[in-house]
């Protein structure tokens, strides 16, 4: 800077941009100065560093031109930190402005002061803030109210000492609704960042004031008040009734976020009122929810995710509204996927025909991902509604006949699930077997092989089919290998004469030529079972035992998580279907909280599913003691949930980013391939391991991968090498340790 | 709440960067550019990286992005971004890259006013226009203390949408009932989904602080009140068979079942909830009074009957017949029928009995335009698309055929305005005008 000055004084005028700007800023003509300020702001937006102009811009602060003043203030807010000492020069103007006769200027001054995050500025804020909080103009008061929250963020101690919180609490009784709304906003923010201040304690009196302001304040103020009402725990039934009654008219507001906030309040307080009354409210909230589906796609998406939650709690509210959720041809994919899930949720015996016709239509579209989901939905409907299962199977057969590769594959995976609930559809097996050559995805192959093994006694050429797979055994994915192994053993037990040689070959291939310990271990187990001569029925009892039919393939959140998410309706948390701790990383949701949650989860998992936890521990630790292993797991959890904080704060997207992207970008559940493991037996160690990683390990093992949602699936992506190799080969154990060290050093 | 608002152009250049909290750092702009704008695989409008969440909306050729660090209210964030679009449009006519670049100072000023510490404040266009203006001249008004205290009263008052000192020599109110009719018809001709999204737009030029009461032929209201509204009867007209007797009488009585309605914030929701009376003090000028949805007895203005045959792999034959289902006194304008063609179409030939048809290769459509379509008439298009052969034969997904049109003095739902009463203390008389219009929302026919 000094260099510049010298050059400016002695050398020929340099044509640098900063130089020109500076010349303009100190020009004797007002219009030139204003123009230069505008240019400075422009440069600032473009990311150029114009902090060197700070003193020159500051000279323009004392002006009667409101527009220019705003620009200077904008500059100040951005660069105050780079020149904390010079900011003091602005204080005088601020203090003066805060006493200006024009309320717009008073508000502007106090608003900007709060945004200049410099310690020294704070000392001068006390007086102006106190004055403006009691200003005659509501516009200034509402601005000052928010300023208290700003000050608290900067210096909580000073905020408390000066009694600003008490002043704010008084302001909830302000005659102006907007002042009320902003006071509530500020108090609720302070309350959330520092619960120990007990800033926002809703009493009957405050409740009454808020309900009064609700009908008069701006739409955004309504959202604030409604959110606060949703958090309030009523003292008696009367109060709950009263709140519902006053809030329900807001269902008719034009702003979707107000509608959602109102739905949230009524839904939460409804629990306490009589059954009859709560039913009328449920009926009342259905039409507004449906209307949300015709808003802008992004808003629609948020609404749909929330409707999904509401439906999991109250499955019947939108029974008659199936048609609204039909996908439009040009809906964005994220909306389409969500609509599919909701349609399956509200499917019942009355509307199932309509739904099936629609799903079939979708299955013939071109977007591969969407088509697969549509087919999966058909399977879910079949399993959900028994009377419709036959129609669903016929629809799936029609789809198989289209011969479109990915349609066929997905349909077979889905049919496998249908067999697990209704074993009686064996008549279609020949049709399925015809497609064998078209299947190239491990999932679909595994599904078909499972079917062949399960119905081996009824398929005359089962031996030939499986023989073909055994020949190429070593080229298959391990998932398919496991299925081949099981299917051959089943065939052998059912028709020993046909599969004598086959079973020998497959056991040989799986034990001697295979690297995957899961496959090897399972082969050894079968081998030993089969060589058991003391009780020839024992093997049959184990391998061919009656399997319990599956109940549903529709994804549902565990009840505790669901209840927690219902408290978060319309927030990001409700969009992700994840508790906020998992993606919010500051303040009370810091890394510590995440770690604590992870430990708790571990303990709970261990309690509910000791076997899996032990397996995971054993698998991850290798030689290390189990306690160590648990730590590893927690650290991994940290990477997934919080590791992104440093990653995004730093500029370079690290390697782990790809996993994080999945976590964030596509909250749509990623069905990990393991999730649909064809048979209960297929839930191998890997599945259990996933269950531990996932946020809901208590779900049945076969779907633990799915319920783990994005988190576990991403872990799979990000660390796929790790969790496969972790239990595969001891040398690979170095890799996770190293990662851990890196992570440790990050914190 | 919101930590910052960012605006980008399509190339990923940052046009506006306004941080409201200290945790919104400049480098976040780079992250958004890398992770969303230059990443073609983004399929969600929300992206969380670490603890930073980007929520974005695309409008024209710009991205509007909200940065949040907490578990923010997602519905509010998106709604706010859309409000920003609305504001931009009313200030600059159009909110695109050029408008943002030309008006960046004003946009900063607006953002400063409508968001404080990341919390949305007053976003009413009319109020904001009083003290944030495109011409510097007007801001002189805001500089005078008396005026600005009046402005600030309005910006925060209970009637934040209306000034108190409005005067007109002639008191007039215009009501436009605009309906978007949505249709999804299956290939077999059954109606999968038919509903109406209506909006009632009002332009009020009324003196003082008028209290308005607004009446529709709403069934819930009429069932309790008078049996028939004036001018009823159109609602029942062409709805065809298959409806129950009770519905038929209702339709004949000219009442409409509104599935759901949303009101402008000036409407007293409590009164509507209690006795379904729409009562309000209107803002000055144009505003959207209400939106509604109707799903019963939807009158479809057009019946389309497409026959599409794929002949071998080289040719597709079309025969599309469209019939107007409304009274012969009315006529629709700008009827456009979009008929999808396979992606490998080489050339097309079209013959029409009315209007002009043209092949638009960039949209894979045959576009058939009929400027004026009078009621009860029927037109036909015959076309043929010749296809090039492809090495990899992929089935054609047959996207639905879609329609757009505008039809005056017709409501698909049968909705009618029964009255609009204006009460003001000076007791002046006022003139009211009502117009009806039906447009195509998403009017799709599968084949």
């Amino acid at each position: 800077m000094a260099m510049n000055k010298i050059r400016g004084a002695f050398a020929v005028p340099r044509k640098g941009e900063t130089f020109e700007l500076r010349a303009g800023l100190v020009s004797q003509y007002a219009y030139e100065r204003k123009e230069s300020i505008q240019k400075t702001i422009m440069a600032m937006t473009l990311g150029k560093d114009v902090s060197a102009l700070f003193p020159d811009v500051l000279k323009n602060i004392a002006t009667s031109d409101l527009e220019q003043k705003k620009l200077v203030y904008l500059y100040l807010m951005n660069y105050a930190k780079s020149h904390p000492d010079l900011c003091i020069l602005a204080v005088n103007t601020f203090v003066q402005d805060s006493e200006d006769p024009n309320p717009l200027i008073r508000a502007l001054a106090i608003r900007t002061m709060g945004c200049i995050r410099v310690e020294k500025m704070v000392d001068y804020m006390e007086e102006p803030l106190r004055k403006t909080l009691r200003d005659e103009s509501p516009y200034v008061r509402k601005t000052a109210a928010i300023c208290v929250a700003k000050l608290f963020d900067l210096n909580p101690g000073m905020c408390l000492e000066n009694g600003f919180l008490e002043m704010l609490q008084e302001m909830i009784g302000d005659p102006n609704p907007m002042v009320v709304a902003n006071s509530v906003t500020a108090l609720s923010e302070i309350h959330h960042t520092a619960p120990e201040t007990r800033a926002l304690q809703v009493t009957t009196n405050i409740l009454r004031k808020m309900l009064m302001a609700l009908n008069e304040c701006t739409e955004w103020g309504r959202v604030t008040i409604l959110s606060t009402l949703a958090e309030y725990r009523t003292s008696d039934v009367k109060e709950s009734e009263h709140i519902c009654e006053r809030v329900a008219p807001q269902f008719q507001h034009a702003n979707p976020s107000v509608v959602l906030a109102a739905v949230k309040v009524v839904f939460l307080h409804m629990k306490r009122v009589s059954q009859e009354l709560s039913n009328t409210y449920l009926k009342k909230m259905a039409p507004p929810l449906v209307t949300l589906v015709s808003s802008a796609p992004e808003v629609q998406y948020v609404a749909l995710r929330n409707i999904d939650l509401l439906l999991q709690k109250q499955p019947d509210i939108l029974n008659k509204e199936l048609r609204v959720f039909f996908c439009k041809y040009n809906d964005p994919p994220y909306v389409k996927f969500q609509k599919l899930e909701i349609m399956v949720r509200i499917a019942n015996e009355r509307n199932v025909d309509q739904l099936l016709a629609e799903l079939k239509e979708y299955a013939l579209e071109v977007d591969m991902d969407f088509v697969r989901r549509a087919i999966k939905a058909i399977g879910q409907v079949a399993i959900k509604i028994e009377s419709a299962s036959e129609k669903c199977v016929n629809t799936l057969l029609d789809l198989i006949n289209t011969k479109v590769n990915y349609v066929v594959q997905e349909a077979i995976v889905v049919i496998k699930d249908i067999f697990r609930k209704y074993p009686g559809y064996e008549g279609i097996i020949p049709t399925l077997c015809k497609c064998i050559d078209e299947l190239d995805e491990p999932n679909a192959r595994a599904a078909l092989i499972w079917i062949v093994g399960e119905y081996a006694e009824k398929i005359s050429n089962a031996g030939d089919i499986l023989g073909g797979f055994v020949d190429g055994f070593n080229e298959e994915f391990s998932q398919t290998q496991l299925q081949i192994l099981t299917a051959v053993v089943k065939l052998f037990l059912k028709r020993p004469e046909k599969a004598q040689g086959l079973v020998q070959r497959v056991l040989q291939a799986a034990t001697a030529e295979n690297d995957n310990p899961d496959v090897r271990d399972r082969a050894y187990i079968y081998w030993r079972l089969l060589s058991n001569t003391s009780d020839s029925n024992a093997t049959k009892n184990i391998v061919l035992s009656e399997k319990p039919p599956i109940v549903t393939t529709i994804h549902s959140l565990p009840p505790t998580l669901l209840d927690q998410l219902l408290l978060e309706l319309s927030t990001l948390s409700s969009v992700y279907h994840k508790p906020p701790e998992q993606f919010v990383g500051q303040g009370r949701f810091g890394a510590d909280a995440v770690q604590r949650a992870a430990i708790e989860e571990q303990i709970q998992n261990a309690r509910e599913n000791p076997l899996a936890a032990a397996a995971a521990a054993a698998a991850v630790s290798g030689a290390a003691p189990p306690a160590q292993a648990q730590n590893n797991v927690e650290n991994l959890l940290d990477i997934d949930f919080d590791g992104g904080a440093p990653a995004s704060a730093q500029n370079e997207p690290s390697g782990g980013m790809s996993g994080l992207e999945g976590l964030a970008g596509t909250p749509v559940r990623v069905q990990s391939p393991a999730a649909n493991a064809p048979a209960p037996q297929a839930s191998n160690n890997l599945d259990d391991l996933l269950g531990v990683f996932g946020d809901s390990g208590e779900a049945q093992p076969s779907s633990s991968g799915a319920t783990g949602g994005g988190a576990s699936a991403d872990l799979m992506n990000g660390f796929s090498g790790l969790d496969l190799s972790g239990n595969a080969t001891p040398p690979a154990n170095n890799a996770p340790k190293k990662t851990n060290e890196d992570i440790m050093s990050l914190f | 709440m919101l930590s910052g608002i960012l605006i980008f152009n399509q190339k990923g250049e940052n046009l506006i960067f306004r941080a409201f909290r200290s945790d919104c750092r400049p480098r976040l702009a780079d992250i958004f550019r890398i992770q969303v704008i230059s990443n073609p695989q983004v399929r969600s409008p929300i992206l969380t990286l670490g603890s930073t969440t980007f929520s974005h909306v695309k409008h024209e050729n710009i991205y509007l992005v909200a940065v949040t660090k907490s578990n923010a209210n997602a519905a509010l964030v998106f709604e706010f971004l859309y409000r920003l679009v609305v504001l931009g449009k009313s200030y600059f006519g159009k909110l695109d890259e050029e408008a943002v670049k030309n008006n960046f100072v004003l946009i900063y000023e607006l953002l400063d006013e409508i968001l404080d510490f990341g919390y949305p404040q007053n976003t009413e266009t009319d109020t904001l226009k009083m003290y944030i203006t495109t011409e510097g001249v007007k801001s002189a008004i805001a500089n005078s203390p008396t005026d600005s205290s009046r402005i600030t009263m309005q910006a925060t008052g209970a009637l934040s949408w209306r000034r108190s000192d409005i005067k007109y020599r002639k008191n007039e109110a215009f009501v436009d009932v605009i309906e978007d009719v949505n249709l999804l018809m299956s290939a077999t001709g059954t109606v999968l989904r038919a509903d109406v999204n209506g909006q009632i737009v009002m332009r009020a030029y009324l003196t003082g602080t008028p209290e308005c009461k607004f009446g529709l032929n709403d069934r819930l209201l009429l069932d309790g009140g008078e049996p028939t509204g004036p001018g009823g009867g159109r609602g029942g007209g062409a709805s065809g068979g298959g409806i129950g007797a009770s519905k038929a009488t209702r339709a004949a009585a000219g009442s409409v079942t509104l599935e759901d309605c949303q009101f402008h914030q000036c409407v007293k929701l409590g009164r509507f909830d209690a006795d379904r009376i729409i009562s309000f003090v209107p803002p000055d000028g144009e505003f959207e009074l209400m939106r509604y949805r109707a799903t019963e007895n939807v009158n479809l203005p057009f019946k389309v009957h497409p026959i599409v045959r794929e002949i071998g792999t080289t040719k597709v034959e079309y025969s599309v017949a469209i019939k107007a289902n409304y009274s012969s006194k009315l006529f629709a304008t700008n009827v456009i029928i979009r008929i999808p063609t396979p992606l490998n179409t080489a050339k097309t030939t079209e013959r029409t009995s009315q209007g002009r048809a043209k092949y638009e290769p960039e949209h894979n459509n045959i576009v058939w335009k009929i400027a004026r379509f009078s009621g009860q008439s029927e037109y036909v298009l015959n076309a043929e698309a010749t296809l090039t052969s492809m090495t990899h034969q992929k089935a054609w997904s047959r996207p639905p055929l879609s329609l757009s049109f505008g039809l005056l003095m017709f409501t698909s739902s049968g909705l009618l305005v029964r009255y609009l009463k204006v009460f003001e203390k000076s007791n002046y008389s006022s003139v009211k005008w009502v117009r009806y219009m039906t447009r195509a929302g998403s009017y799709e026919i599968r084949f």
Side-chain angles (χ1 to χ4, degrees), chain B residues 392-437:
Chain B
H392 182 66
Q393 206 54 250
K394 207 176 163 190
W396 176 35
S397 70
R398 289 180 166 236
L401 185 148
S402 68
L403 231 71
S404 66
F405 55 81
L407 176 56
L408 283 176
M409 299 319 283
F410 178 90
T411 52
S412 264
S413 63
L415 182 104
L416 288 170
V417 176
R418 290 176 63 233
Y419 59 82
L420 169 65
K421 292 176 190 157
V422 179
F423 305 96
E424 219 274 334
K425 32 183 199 305
S426 61
N427 228 349
Y428 55 76
S429 65
S430 52
V431 191
K432 299 122 192 165
W433 307 87
V434 183
R435 280 196 304 184
Y436 299 94
M437 163 139 123

XYZ file of all heavy atoms in Angstrom, chain B residues 392-437:
384
model
N -28.245 -49.310 -33.642
C -28.750 -49.873 -32.395
C -30.210 -49.480 -32.259
O -30.530 -48.335 -31.960
C -27.926 -49.353 -31.227
C -28.361 -49.914 -29.917
N -28.221 -51.244 -29.615
C -28.937 -49.331 -28.851
C -28.696 -51.459 -28.413
N -29.139 -50.317 -27.922
N -31.086 -50.393 -32.486
C -32.512 -50.084 -32.485
C -33.028 -50.022 -31.045
O -33.000 -51.001 -30.321
C -33.255 -51.167 -33.279
C -34.561 -50.722 -33.887
C -34.451 -49.475 -34.772
O -34.921 -48.437 -34.412
N -33.837 -49.582 -35.935
N -33.432 -48.851 -30.643
C -33.944 -48.708 -29.281
C -35.428 -48.357 -29.358
O -35.839 -47.587 -30.223
C -33.183 -47.565 -28.588
C -33.104 -47.708 -27.098
C -32.247 -46.591 -26.524
C -32.466 -46.438 -25.051
N -31.838 -45.242 -24.538
N -36.208 -48.944 -28.475
C -37.642 -48.689 -28.540
C -37.924 -47.218 -28.276
O -37.246 -46.577 -27.484
C -38.362 -49.547 -27.524
N -38.953 -46.704 -28.926
C -39.323 -45.295 -28.770
C -40.200 -45.184 -27.526
O -41.124 -45.973 -27.326
C -40.059 -44.865 -30.037
C -40.586 -43.467 -30.013
C -40.032 -42.388 -29.425
C -41.799 -43.015 -30.630
N -40.796 -41.283 -29.638
C -41.889 -41.633 -30.374
C -42.788 -43.624 -31.384
C -42.948 -40.864 -30.833
C -43.841 -42.851 -31.838
C -43.917 -41.482 -31.574
N -39.882 -44.211 -26.685
C -40.583 -44.165 -25.396
C -41.992 -43.589 -25.508
O -42.752 -43.630 -24.561
C -39.785 -43.348 -24.404
O -39.832 -42.003 -24.769
N -42.350 -43.054 -26.648
C -43.675 -42.466 -26.866
C -44.086 -41.475 -25.768
O -44.996 -41.732 -24.972
C -44.730 -43.564 -26.946
C -44.651 -44.374 -28.211
C -45.728 -45.437 -28.197
N -45.892 -46.016 -29.523
C -47.054 -46.051 -30.183
N -48.127 -45.560 -29.649
N -47.127 -46.586 -31.370
N -43.400 -40.367 -25.692
C -43.818 -39.361 -24.716
C -45.220 -38.852 -25.057
O -45.643 -38.949 -26.209
C -42.782 -38.251 -24.845
C -42.008 -38.546 -26.062
C -42.243 -39.952 -26.469
N -45.941 -38.357 -24.089
C -47.323 -37.959 -24.361
C -47.423 -36.744 -25.285
O -46.517 -35.928 -25.369
C -47.868 -37.633 -22.978
C -46.677 -37.357 -22.153
C -45.576 -38.174 -22.698
N -48.571 -36.684 -25.947
C -48.898 -35.543 -26.798
C -49.393 -34.417 -25.880
O -50.100 -34.695 -24.909
C -50.003 -36.036 -27.715
C -50.605 -35.244 -28.840
C -50.993 -36.244 -29.921
C -51.821 -34.498 -28.385
N -48.997 -33.203 -26.162
C -49.436 -32.167 -25.232
C -50.085 -30.999 -25.959
O -49.838 -30.764 -27.135
C -48.254 -31.689 -24.394
O -47.352 -31.012 -25.219
N -50.908 -30.294 -25.211
C -51.722 -29.228 -25.782
C -51.489 -27.942 -25.007
O -51.314 -27.983 -23.789
C -53.192 -29.609 -25.582
C -54.089 -29.548 -26.797
C -53.671 -30.702 -27.691
C -55.540 -29.739 -26.379
N -51.508 -26.807 -25.684
C -51.626 -25.557 -24.940
C -52.640 -24.683 -25.665
O -52.780 -24.756 -26.877
C -50.273 -24.865 -24.805
O -49.824 -24.465 -26.065
N -53.366 -23.910 -24.887
C -54.406 -23.059 -25.480
C -54.835 -22.011 -24.466
O -54.485 -22.077 -23.285
C -55.625 -23.895 -25.881
C -56.188 -24.723 -24.754
C -57.033 -24.166 -23.815
C -55.844 -26.058 -24.622
C -57.529 -24.927 -22.767
C -56.333 -26.822 -23.574
C -57.175 -26.260 -22.647
N -55.592 -21.055 -24.942
C -56.230 -20.092 -24.054
C -57.677 -19.959 -24.483
O -57.971 -19.896 -25.674
N -58.564 -19.960 -23.515
C -59.993 -19.923 -23.848
C -60.672 -18.923 -22.921
O -60.666 -19.097 -21.701
C -60.566 -21.339 -23.668
C -62.059 -21.549 -23.865
C -62.496 -21.067 -25.231
C -62.380 -23.022 -23.711
N -61.223 -17.885 -23.519
C -61.818 -16.819 -22.705
C -63.264 -17.127 -22.341
O -63.953 -17.861 -23.051
C -61.767 -15.496 -23.466
C -60.400 -14.800 -23.484
C -60.478 -13.561 -24.345
C -59.952 -14.457 -22.082
N -63.706 -16.559 -21.269
C -65.075 -16.673 -20.769
C -65.519 -18.122 -20.564
O -66.628 -18.514 -20.897
C -66.064 -15.947 -21.709
C -65.803 -14.471 -21.848
S -65.351 -13.666 -20.304
C -66.942 -13.535 -19.495
N -64.617 -18.914 -20.074
C -64.917 -20.321 -19.819
C -64.098 -20.747 -18.605
O -62.926 -20.399 -18.495
C -64.503 -21.150 -21.045
C -64.710 -22.640 -20.901
C -65.908 -23.226 -21.285
C -63.702 -23.453 -20.388
C -66.093 -24.597 -21.165
C -63.891 -24.817 -20.261
C -65.089 -25.393 -20.658
N -64.748 -21.441 -17.672
C -63.958 -22.022 -16.591
C -64.200 -23.528 -16.581
O -65.333 -23.974 -16.586
C -64.334 -21.449 -15.211
O -65.738 -21.552 -15.037
C -63.894 -20.023 -15.079
N -63.131 -24.262 -16.553
C -63.230 -25.714 -16.583
C -63.920 -26.261 -15.343
O -64.603 -27.268 -15.390
C -61.841 -26.325 -16.664
O -61.537 -26.604 -17.984
N -63.722 -25.576 -14.238
C -64.310 -26.070 -13.001
C -65.765 -25.638 -12.872
O -66.505 -26.171 -12.067
C -63.526 -25.517 -11.814
O -63.639 -24.116 -11.806
N -66.186 -24.672 -13.678
C -67.529 -24.128 -13.557
C -67.613 -23.017 -12.521
O -68.696 -22.582 -12.139
N -66.478 -22.548 -12.079
C -66.459 -21.525 -11.029
C -66.964 -20.174 -11.551
O -66.680 -19.784 -12.668
C -65.028 -21.356 -10.524
C -64.878 -20.358 -9.386
C -64.691 -21.107 -8.078
C -63.714 -19.437 -9.630
N -67.741 -19.511 -10.733
C -68.243 -18.193 -11.084
C -68.063 -17.245 -9.913
O -68.142 -17.657 -8.766
C -69.739 -18.274 -11.384
C -70.154 -18.959 -12.682
C -71.647 -19.156 -12.693
C -69.713 -18.109 -13.859
N -67.839 -16.006 -10.246
C -67.811 -14.989 -9.198
C -69.236 -14.515 -8.990
O -69.892 -14.087 -9.941
C -66.909 -13.812 -9.600
C -66.960 -12.722 -8.553
C -65.499 -14.296 -9.821
N -69.731 -14.647 -7.784
C -71.125 -14.253 -7.554
C -71.229 -12.788 -7.169
O -72.139 -12.084 -7.587
C -71.760 -15.136 -6.485
C -71.979 -16.569 -6.991
C -72.513 -17.458 -5.914
N -73.814 -17.048 -5.441
C -74.088 -16.836 -4.155
N -73.154 -16.992 -3.248
N -75.288 -16.471 -3.797
N -70.319 -12.347 -6.374
C -70.359 -10.923 -6.029
C -69.003 -10.450 -5.539
O -68.167 -11.254 -5.123
C -71.419 -10.642 -4.956
C -71.215 -11.395 -3.674
C -70.317 -10.928 -2.712
C -71.918 -12.564 -3.405
C -70.114 -11.611 -1.540
C -71.724 -13.263 -2.237
C -70.819 -12.778 -1.298
O -70.611 -13.464 -0.138
N -68.797 -9.155 -5.629
C -67.654 -8.527 -4.983
C -68.185 -7.236 -4.380
O -68.634 -6.346 -5.093
C -66.544 -8.230 -6.002
C -65.402 -7.353 -5.512
C -64.616 -8.053 -4.413
C -64.467 -6.994 -6.657
N -68.210 -7.196 -3.066
C -68.763 -6.011 -2.418
C -67.632 -5.196 -1.818
O -66.711 -5.748 -1.229
C -69.730 -6.419 -1.302
C -70.993 -7.080 -1.834
C -71.847 -7.550 -0.676
C -72.989 -8.419 -1.201
N -73.496 -9.312 -0.171
N -67.717 -3.902 -1.987
C -66.688 -3.032 -1.437
C -67.319 -2.097 -0.409
O -68.307 -1.427 -0.700
C -66.028 -2.199 -2.560
C -64.971 -1.280 -1.984
C -65.437 -3.105 -3.621
N -66.783 -2.118 0.805
C -67.279 -1.215 1.849
C -66.168 -0.254 2.224
O -65.054 -0.683 2.522
C -67.677 -2.006 3.101
C -68.664 -3.102 2.823
C -68.241 -4.401 2.613
C -70.025 -2.824 2.792
C -69.141 -5.413 2.360
C -70.938 -3.836 2.542
C -70.503 -5.128 2.325
N -66.498 1.013 2.198
C -65.496 1.986 2.630
C -66.224 3.074 3.397
O -67.412 3.312 3.147
C -64.776 2.550 1.402
C -63.285 2.754 1.604
C -62.947 4.088 2.216
O -63.756 5.034 2.043
O -61.892 4.190 2.859
N -65.514 3.741 4.289
C -66.246 4.668 5.132
C -66.846 5.833 4.348
O -67.913 6.321 4.669
C -65.431 5.168 6.323
C -63.962 5.310 6.139
C -63.347 5.750 7.446
C -61.971 6.360 7.265
N -61.006 5.510 6.561
N -66.190 6.237 3.245
C -66.771 7.331 2.468
C -67.936 6.852 1.595
O -68.593 7.642 0.931
C -65.700 7.973 1.595
O -65.185 7.010 0.710
N -68.155 5.525 1.577
C -69.335 4.971 0.928
C -69.440 5.266 -0.561
O -70.504 5.514 -1.087
C -70.603 5.478 1.638
C -71.517 4.307 1.923
O -71.283 3.207 1.410
N -72.531 4.533 2.720
N -68.336 5.259 -1.263
C -68.384 5.539 -2.707
C -68.885 4.301 -3.448
O -68.871 3.195 -2.925
C -67.011 5.958 -3.218
C -65.903 4.985 -2.917
C -65.770 3.786 -3.639
C -64.943 5.266 -1.933
C -64.744 2.919 -3.376
C -63.929 4.384 -1.669
C -63.824 3.214 -2.397
O -62.820 2.335 -2.147
N -69.348 4.506 -4.663
C -69.736 3.349 -5.465
C -68.544 2.972 -6.336
O -67.727 3.812 -6.705
C -70.945 3.694 -6.325
O -70.575 4.692 -7.250
N -68.485 1.717 -6.644
C -67.330 1.260 -7.409
C -67.786 0.356 -8.546
O -68.857 -0.235 -8.508
C -66.371 0.499 -6.491
O -67.087 -0.494 -5.794
N -66.964 0.308 -9.575
C -67.298 -0.514 -10.744
C -66.437 -1.782 -10.697
O -65.246 -1.715 -10.399
C -66.993 0.256 -12.042
C -67.578 -0.481 -13.231
C -67.529 1.664 -11.942
N -67.072 -2.923 -10.953
C -66.304 -4.167 -10.935
C -66.423 -4.884 -12.261
O -67.477 -4.888 -12.890
C -66.813 -5.098 -9.826
C -66.679 -4.523 -8.446
C -68.019 -4.465 -7.800
C -68.002 -3.632 -6.533
N -69.365 -3.304 -6.114
N -65.333 -5.473 -12.664
C -65.290 -6.223 -13.918
C -64.780 -7.627 -13.626
O -63.856 -7.804 -12.856
C -64.344 -5.563 -14.915
C -64.636 -4.113 -15.155
C -64.166 -3.071 -14.439
C -65.474 -3.562 -16.160
N -64.637 -1.883 -14.928
C -65.448 -2.155 -16.001
C -66.240 -4.099 -17.192
C -66.159 -1.304 -16.834
C -66.934 -3.247 -18.020
C -66.904 -1.860 -17.843
N -65.393 -8.594 -14.295
C -64.924 -9.966 -14.103
C -64.617 -10.585 -15.457
O -65.381 -10.427 -16.412
C -65.989 -10.829 -13.386
C -65.451 -12.228 -13.119
C -66.404 -10.172 -12.090
N -63.490 -11.242 -15.548
C -63.155 -11.986 -16.761
C -62.826 -13.425 -16.382
O -62.313 -13.682 -15.288
C -61.917 -11.374 -17.424
C -62.196 -10.156 -18.232
C -61.036 -9.847 -19.133
N -59.793 -9.713 -18.348
C -58.639 -9.371 -18.892
N -58.554 -9.162 -20.191
N -57.556 -9.253 -18.168
N -63.100 -14.331 -17.289
C -62.743 -15.725 -17.039
C -61.824 -16.202 -18.149
O -61.987 -15.807 -19.305
C -63.983 -16.622 -17.040
C -64.982 -16.257 -15.992
C -66.050 -15.408 -16.285
C -64.862 -16.759 -14.701
C -66.969 -15.055 -15.326
C -65.790 -16.412 -13.729
C -66.841 -15.561 -14.046
O -67.743 -15.233 -13.084
N -60.902 -17.058 -17.786
C -60.047 -17.614 -18.819
C -59.586 -18.994 -18.395
O -59.272 -19.244 -17.217
C -58.846 -16.711 -19.023
C -57.755 -17.407 -19.760
S -56.991 -16.353 -20.947
C -55.326 -16.431 -20.416
